[in-house]
């Protein structure tokens, strides 16, 4: 059976007319241009364009010389001792080393050996990028350069520039509040503005919100539980709180008769169940606790009367220059005073003396800043009189670490919230120093010239990479630091713990020695019979061997200078006598 066959037929007219090509000189139509229409059009010259879809491949030939590599190393083993020296006898080897160190060619020989040895050490410590793949070990971190960059600058929009007195980050980290106030009240005119600002981190061109109090703000702090609530200290000594959802005006302020007698420039929130409590301090020597639900009068007041704390007299109170509160330590707080003392207080003490029991003589001048280490709360940082010092609560007589004296005044200092061995210092010459105690103790690891005006305040971001600092020119500078200044390495905690324990133990030994000397001096005063002999022994024991050696060197230098001057005078006298004899003979 055959399949049916269908034939489709399409007419020629349905698929187009056939084209005939011929060489004929014919013009179908001739359209002449109208010159009067040329003014309505713009002439465009023809432009040629090209496209290339294929990959361009070029051939280069370069003749290079063959490099010759050679592996060279150095292996040091215990050896090279003379035959009469037993290398297992520690006393003989130490004596022989001291003998070599006194040799006049020792330094010259060491300088020649240091260069090849340093090269081999650096080669040995170089990072092998394929080591983790072939030897199955954990990759070592690369050594990063310590750098920083300025992310944004938030400038005061007003023409009259006012110093930045305080900076606070919102709990979500998206905004920061900056209070502006000039403490030089004599130069502040009648048209002096009282506005402070809240900035969005990503928008430095325009403030996110303006706060308009009736007097300038010295402190402005975000509530750690609510990014819409702020508390502030005023130049009148009052405290106030704000709700940015209800506009730029303050919600409520404390009454003048129950507030501070001096401008309130220190204010911090307290970790409470309600999240409405904070405390403030001022140069009048008072610390007051407040609740935003009852802001007319403080909950509690403590006067910094160190002579007779039970009487709480404001006439003897010492001004508070810095304030600190660690949420993890409950009711404990710290404050720095204008006389250089740091008080570690407990709010739950029954008497004022129990509340202000622990005291440290931290600085010689006012304590500009005091802050506990976020990872090691027993250790805290103090800044004042051109130095920064690290203290331990186990040592009350002296600090365990300190920086060298700076040539300019320090204005603030704070720990890094993420890297526990790093802290920041601001100076009056517009420089921000970054110190890392694990890396080096005598110089900062990074020093940044932020501006030409003095830096007045400082506040790191809770994530550690960003730091906001304010200047006297009214600008807030946002700086970003490299990862090696914000992230802890694997063994950093063990190293920093060992460092703190070692320095704390050393200071305890010194304190015990000082107590023993004081007891000896007390025995001198109570025993008249052996008073003179005990006094000589105690004074000799009080001197450190280094001090005794320094005194000997000092007196030796004086005697050498006297001998030089005497020989010089004698030589001049001899020359003069020779000249006189020559004139007489002539």
């Amino acid at each position: 059976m055959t399949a049916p066959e269908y034939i489709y037929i399409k007419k020629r007219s349905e698929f187009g007319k056939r084209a005939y090509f011929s060489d004929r000189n014919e013009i179908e139509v001739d359209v002449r241009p109208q010159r009067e229409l040329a003014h309505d059009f713009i002439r465009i010259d023809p432009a040629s364009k090209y496209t290339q879809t294929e990959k361009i491949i070029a051939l280069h030939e370069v003749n290079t010389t063959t490099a010759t590599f050679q592996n060279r190393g150095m292996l040091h083993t215990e050896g090279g001792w003379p035959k009469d020296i037993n290398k297992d006898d520690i006393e003989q080897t130490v004596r022989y080393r001291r003998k070599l160190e006194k040799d006049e060619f020792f330094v010259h020989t060491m300088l020649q050996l240091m260069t090849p040895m340093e090269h081999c050490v650096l080669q040995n410590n170089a990072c092998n990028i394929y080591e983790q793949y072939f030897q199955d070990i954990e990759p070592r971190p690369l050594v990063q350069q310590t750098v920083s960059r300025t992310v944004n600058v938030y400038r005061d929009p007003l023409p009259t520039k006012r110093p930045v007195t305080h900076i606070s980050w919102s709990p979500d980290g998206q905004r920061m509040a900056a209070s502006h106030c000039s403490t030089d009240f004599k130069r502040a005119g009648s048209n002096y503005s009282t506005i402070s600002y809240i900035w969005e981190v990503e928008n430095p061109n325009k403030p996110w919100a303006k706060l308009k109090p009736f007097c300038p703000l010295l402190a402005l702090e975000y509530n750690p539980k609510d990014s819409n609530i702020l508390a502030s200290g005023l130049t009148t000594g009052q405290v106030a709180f704000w709700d940015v959802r209800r506009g730029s005006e303050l919600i409520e302020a404390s009454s003048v008769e129950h507030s501070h007698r001096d401008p309130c420039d220190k204010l911090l929130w307290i970790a409470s169940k309600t999240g409405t409590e904070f405390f403030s301090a001022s140069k009048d020597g008072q610390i007051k606790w407040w609740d935003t639900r009852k802001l007319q009068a403080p909950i509690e007041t403590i006067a910094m009367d160190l002579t007779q704390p039970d009487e709480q007299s404001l006439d003897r109170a010492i001004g508070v220059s810095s304030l600190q509160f660690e949420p993890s330590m409950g009711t404990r707080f710290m404050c720095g005073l204008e006389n250089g003392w740091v008080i570690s207080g407990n709010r739950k003490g029954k008497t004022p003396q129990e509340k202000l029991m622990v005291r440290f003589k931290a600085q010689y001048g006012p304590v500009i800043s005091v802050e506990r280490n976020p990872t090691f709360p027993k250790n805290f940082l103090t800044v004042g009189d051109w130095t920064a010092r690290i203290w331990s609560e186990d040592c009350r007589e002296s600090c365990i670490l300190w920086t060298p004296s700076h040539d300019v005044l320090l204005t603030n200092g704070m720990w890094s919230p993420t890297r526990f061995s790093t802290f920041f210092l601001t100076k009056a010459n517009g420089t921000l120093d970054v110190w890392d105690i694990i890396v080096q103790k005598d110089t900062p690891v990074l020093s940044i010239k932020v501006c030409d005006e003095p830096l007045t305040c400082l506040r790191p971001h809770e994530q550690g990479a960003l730091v906001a600092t304010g200047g006297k020119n009214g600008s807030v500078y946002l700086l970003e630091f490299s990862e090696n200044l914000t992230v802890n390495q694997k063994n950093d905690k063990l190293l920093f713990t060992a460092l703190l324990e070692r320095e704390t133990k050393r200071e305890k030994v010194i304190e015990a020695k000082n107590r023993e000397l004081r007891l000896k001096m007390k025995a001198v005063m109570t025993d008249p019979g052996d008073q003179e002999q005990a006094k000589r022994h105690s004074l000799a024991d009080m001197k450190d061997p280094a001090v005794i050696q320094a005194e000997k060197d000092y007196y030796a230098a004086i005697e050498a200078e006297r001998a030089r001057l005497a020989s010089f005078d004698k030589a001049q006298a001899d020359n003069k006598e020779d000249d006189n004899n020559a004139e007489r003979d002539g």
Side-chain angles (χ1 to χ4, degrees):
M1 181 177 181
T2 60
E5 182 179 353
Y6 298 97
I7 299 174
Y8 296 92
I9 301 174
K10 192 174 184 180
K11 295 181 179 180
R12 183 71 181 80
S13 60
E14 294 179 359
F15 57 84
K17 184 179 179 181
R18 183 178 180 183
Y20 295 95
F21 299 96
S22 62
D23 188 8
R24 294 188 299 176
N25 188 10
E26 292 184 0
I27 298 177
E28 298 292 338
V29 63
D30 186 10
V31 179
R32 297 290 181 180
Q34 299 181 13
R35 298 184 179 276
E36 61 274 6
L37 298 178
H39 300 286
D40 299 334
F41 298 90
I42 298 175
R43 180 179 177 179
I44 300 178
D45 294 332
S48 59
K49 297 182 180 180
Y50 68 92
T51 57
Q52 177 66 31
T53 58
E54 295 296 331
K55 184 178 180 181
I56 299 176
I57 301 177
L59 178 62
H60 297 276
E61 295 180 358
V62 180
N63 295 326
T64 59
T65 58
T66 304
T68 303
F69 296 95
Q70 181 182 4
N71 294 327
R72 181 179 299 176
M74 180 184 295
L75 177 63
H76 173 73
T77 58
E78 189 72 20
W81 297 100
K83 294 181 179 180
D84 56 341
I85 299 296
N86 184 11
K87 66 176 183 179
D88 297 328
D89 190 350
I90 300 178
E91 184 177 354
Q92 290 186 12
T93 55
V94 171
R95 190 184 301 112
Y96 184 73
R97 287 194 183 99
R98 291 179 179 175
K99 180 181 178 182
L100 289 180
E101 290 175 357
K102 295 179 180 179
D103 191 359
E104 57 181 357
F105 298 103
F106 176 76
V107 177
H108 181 68
T109 305
M110 289 300 297
L111 291 177
Q112 290 181 344
L113 294 177
M114 284 293 291
T115 302
M117 184 184 70
E118 184 180 6
H119 175 73
C120 294
V121 170
L122 294 177
Q123 289 291 332
N124 187 46
N125 294 336
C127 180
N128 185 2
I129 62 176
Y130 304 107
E131 188 178 14
Q132 55 180 314
Y133 300 104
F134 295 99
Q135 300 184 14
D136 193 19
I137 64 174
E138 184 180 354
R140 290 176 293 183
L142 297 175
V143 178
Q144 297 182 356
Q145 186 180 4
T146 303
V147 295
S148 68
R149 68 183 185 95
T150 302
V151 180
N152 285 325
V153 179
Y154 309 88
R155 305 184 188 279
D156 188 0
L158 298 178
T160 304
K161 303 304 178 184
R162 305 159 298 159
V164 182
T165 57
H166 194 83
I167 299 174
S168 176
W169 289 92
S170 62
D172 55 5
Q174 302 298 322
R175 303 186 186 96
M176 61 179 175
S179 60
H180 295 261
C181 177
S182 177
T183 55
D184 191 358
F185 302 106
K186 295 181 179 180
R187 296 184 179 181
S190 58
N191 57 350
Y192 190 77
S193 177
T194 62
I195 299 177
S196 293
Y197 306 100
I198 298 177
W199 298 87
E200 281 187 338
V201 177
E202 301 296 335
N203 184 16
N205 300 321
K206 183 179 180 182
W208 181 77
K210 295 182 180 180
L211 303 180
K212 302 177 181 179
F214 58 87
C215 66
L217 303 180
L218 282 171
L220 187 61
E221 192 71 28
Y222 263 107
N223 190 315
K225 295 184 178 180
D226 192 347
S227 58
N228 297 310
I229 304 297
L230 298 96
S232 60
L234 310 179
T235 54
T236 57
Q238 300 170 267
V239 295
F241 82 97
W242 311 72
D243 191 340
V244 294
R245 295 168 296 188
R246 298 171 62 176
S248 59
E249 302 293 334
L250 58 88
I251 303 300
E252 188 180 1
S254 61
S255 59
V256 178
E257 56 269 16
H258 294 100
S259 301
H260 293 280
R261 299 183 178 182
D262 279 349
C264 179
D265 54 352
K266 300 293 180 293
L267 184 142
L268 290 174
W269 288 90
I270 301 174
S272 59
K273 295 181 179 179
T274 59
T276 58
E277 297 182 9
F278 64 93
F279 69 131
S280 62
S282 175
K283 297 297 189 300
D284 62 351
Q286 296 183 91
I287 298 179
K288 295 178 178 290
W289 278 263
W290 308 84
D291 193 330
T292 56
R293 297 172 297 182
K294 301 176 182 179
L295 201 61
Q296 289 298 317
I299 304 174
E300 186 180 354
T301 301
I302 295 180
M304 294 293 110
D305 185 3
L306 304 183
T307 56
Q308 299 178 7
D310 293 335
E311 296 183 2
Q312 292 284 298
S313 175
L314 287 180
D315 297 334
R316 297 188 300 266
I318 303 171
V320 181
S321 56
S322 58
L323 199 62
Q324 192 277 336
F325 175 75
E326 176 61 35
S328 61
M329 302 190 72
T331 58
R332 299 283 297 276
F333 68 93
M334 297 188 75
C335 60
L337 306 182
E338 290 186 327
N339 62 351
W341 285 85
V342 170
I343 307 298
S344 179
N346 189 356
R347 186 186 173 190
K348 295 301 182 181
K350 296 181 181 180
T351 62
Q353 188 172 3
E354 293 179 359
K355 294 179 180 179
L356 309 176
M357 183 175 296
V358 184
R359 304 176 185 180
F360 303 87
K361 180 56 179 177
Q363 308 288 155
Y364 296 105
V367 181
I368 300 173
S369 175
V370 56
E371 186 183 11
R372 291 185 183 271
N373 190 295
T375 310
F376 301 89
K378 290 180 63 176
N379 301 97
F380 58 93
L381 172 72
T382 62
V383 178
D385 55 55
W386 291 273
T387 58
R389 303 178 183 181
I390 299 176
W391 296 77
S392 174
E393 289 188 343
D394 298 333
C395 303
R396 300 186 183 182
E397 295 184 5
S398 59
C399 59
I400 60 175
L401 292 170
W402 60 91
T403 64
S405 297
H406 295 76
D407 54 354
V408 293
L409 183 66
L410 300 179
T411 56
N412 209 333
M414 296 193 75
W415 287 101
S416 171
T418 55
R419 183 170 174 83
F420 38 74
S421 62
T422 302
F423 61 90
F424 307 95
L425 296 178
T426 56
K427 298 196 231 178
N429 61 352
T431 304
L432 174 66
D433 288 347
V434 185
W435 291 76
D436 195 335
I437 302 300
I438 294 180
V439 178
Q440 54 190 18
K441 308 179 187 65
D442 52 349
T443 55
V445 295
L446 183 63
S447 185
I448 312 136
K449 183 67 175 179
V450 181
C451 61
D452 296 330
E453 296 290 331
L455 297 178
T456 55
C457 56
L458 173 73
R459 199 63 177 269
H461 192 267
E462 62 178 1
Q463 296 181 359
L466 299 176
V467 174
T469 177
K472 193 175 181 180
N473 56 359
S475 300
V476 178
Y477 302 89
L478 185 62
L479 306 176
E480 183 180 9
F481 294 93
S482 55
E483 185 178 352
N484 55 357
L485 292 176
T486 58
V487 179
N488 296 308
Q489 302 300 326
K490 183 178 180 180
N491 297 325
D492 284 355
K493 189 170 185 179
L494 297 176
L495 294 174
F496 193 59
T497 303
L499 174 65
L500 295 177
E501 290 179 354
R502 182 177 68 251
E503 297 298 330
T504 302
K505 184 178 179 180
R506 181 178 63 86
E507 291 300 328
K508 286 183 178 179
V509 172
I510 296 176
E511 288 183 4
K513 184 178 179 181
N514 292 335
R515 284 195 296 268
E516 183 180 355
L517 292 177
R518 285 196 294 267
L519 290 176
K520 289 183 179 180
M521 295 299 296
K522 188 176 181 180
V524 169
M525 303 303 296
T526 56
D527 190 1
D530 299 334
Q531 182 174 357
E532 192 65 28
Q533 183 178 1
K535 185 176 181 180
R536 286 197 302 268
H537 288 294
S538 61
L539 291 177
D541 294 339
M542 288 178 64
K543 289 188 177 181
D544 189 83
V547 177
I548 297 175
Q549 184 63 33
E551 291 180 354
K552 292 181 179 179
D553 296 342
Y554 174 72
Y555 289 121
I558 291 177
E559 295 298 331
E561 183 66 19
R562 287 178 178 176
R564 189 186 67 82
L565 293 176
S567 61
F568 180 75
D569 294 339
K570 183 179 180 181
Q572 281 189 338
D574 294 340
N575 293 334
K576 186 175 181 181
E577 185 177 357
D578 293 340
D579 294 339
N580 295 333
N581 294 333
E583 291 179 359
R584 190 182 306 111
D585 296 338

